[in-house]
Amino acid sequence: MLKYPQSILNLIDSFAELPGVGRKTAERYAFYVLDNMNQVDVEEFINNLEQVKNKVKHCKICGNLAEDELCPICQDITRDESTILVVENVRDVLSIEKIDSYNGLYHVLGGSISFSKGISAKDIFIDGLLERLKNENIKEIILATNATLEGETTARYIKELLNEYPNIKVSRIAYGLPVGGDLLYADQMTLLKALEGRIDYK
């Protein structure tokens, strides 16, 4: 039985490991590399992969992406340091930043509590949030986890922990975000309205 050369099969296997990439799409990507990318393109692609793996890390304060110890937002002295918006992942930070209406700080959990997937509170960056409350002058926590069962469970858990800090206002974005929806797929106006329409979280 005729097969592709092993190097092509290996590249197809690598692309097929990416989320959302099926075998046929992986095959198409592999042949695009073979037929359309010159040596300079390939070397630049390899370099970009290495740069991401070697340089990019999580901010030690908020969990956002950074190439230094702190992310650009945590380094920005013009941000409102009294407010922290809590999100599930780093892409949510970019989604909020695009609406250009929020000027506080962020805290990236790196996921959400999911009993069905075996993800507990210890598996996400909640302890880091609580540590910030000891060292920073925080007046409001905005819970912006996704409007899913996991996101709501996570928000509820954090809210219970924050009951120990009666001087900190806890709000939850609500208006405009459909139940079951992700921040990543919301348009800018929906996000703006959700942020503006946040409510006290009780």
Side-chain angles (χ1 to χ4, degrees):
M1 176 177 161
L2 183 63
K3 295 195 305 183
Y4 293 135
Q6 190 60 45
S7 55
I8 289 288
L9 292 174
N10 292 341
L11 185 56
I12 291 172
D13 288 340
S14 294
F15 280 126
E17 290 181 5
L18 297 173
V21 177
R23 193 75 186 174
K24 289 189 183 236
T25 300
E27 184 177 319
R28 193 162 61 247
Y29 288 167
F31 275 94
Y32 181 86
V33 172
L34 178 66
D35 298 331
N36 297 93
M37 295 177 68
N38 58 38
Q39 189 61 34
V40 174
D41 294 333
V42 171
E43 290 174 0
E44 183 177 3
F45 187 74
I46 293 171
N47 180 63
N48 289 338
L49 289 173
E50 291 178 341
Q51 294 286 322
V52 166
K53 289 302 292 181
N54 296 331
K55 285 190 172 183
V56 179
K57 50 196 167 187
H58 291 281
C59 173
K60 66 179 185 179
I61 293 179
C62 76
N64 192 18
L65 294 181
E67 291 189 346
D68 299 312
E69 288 296 309
L70 302 181
C71 73
I73 292 175
C74 285
Q75 294 183 54
D76 187 352
I77 61 173
T78 68
R79 307 285 298 206
D80 176 8
E81 297 182 349
S82 69
T83 306
I84 295 179
L85 193 148
V86 180
V87 296
E88 291 184 24
N89 62 68
V90 294
R91 292 177 296 174
D92 294 335
V93 173
L94 184 59
S95 296
I96 297 292
E97 284 296 288
K98 282 180 180 177
I99 65 177
D100 197 28
S101 181
Y102 175 72
N103 192 47
L105 302 178
Y106 290 90
H107 190 84
V108 182
L109 297 171
S112 58
I113 297 171
S114 175
F115 299 115
S116 63
K117 296 178 182 176
I119 302 173
S120 71
K122 294 181 180 179
D123 298 315
I124 57 180
F125 196 33
I126 293 177
D127 287 345
L129 175 62
L130 300 179
E131 194 64 31
R132 296 177 71 177
L133 301 184
K134 300 176 185 177
N135 303 318
E136 301 177 27
N137 184 28
I138 307 301
K139 296 179 180 177
E140 181 181 7
I141 299 290
I142 306 171
L143 298 174
T145 52
N146 291 322
T148 60
L149 176 60
E150 293 80 7
E152 187 59 33
T153 299
T154 305
R156 178 60 59 185
Y157 180 82
I158 294 173
K159 173 62 176 68
E160 292 299 320
L161 295 177
L162 295 179
N163 285 337
E164 296 184 18
Y165 302 86
N167 295 328
I168 297 178
K169 177 182 178 181
V170 181
S171 56
R172 176 97 163 100
I173 61 170
Y175 178 79
L177 284 179
V179 174
D182 287 349
L183 288 178
L184 179 62
Y185 303 110
D187 61 80
Q188 293 182 15
M189 184 55 66
T190 297
L191 284 170
L192 177 59
K193 291 300 182 183
L195 192 57
E196 289 177 345
R198 64 184 183 271
I199 57 175
D200 288 348
Y201 199 52
K202 300 177 180 178

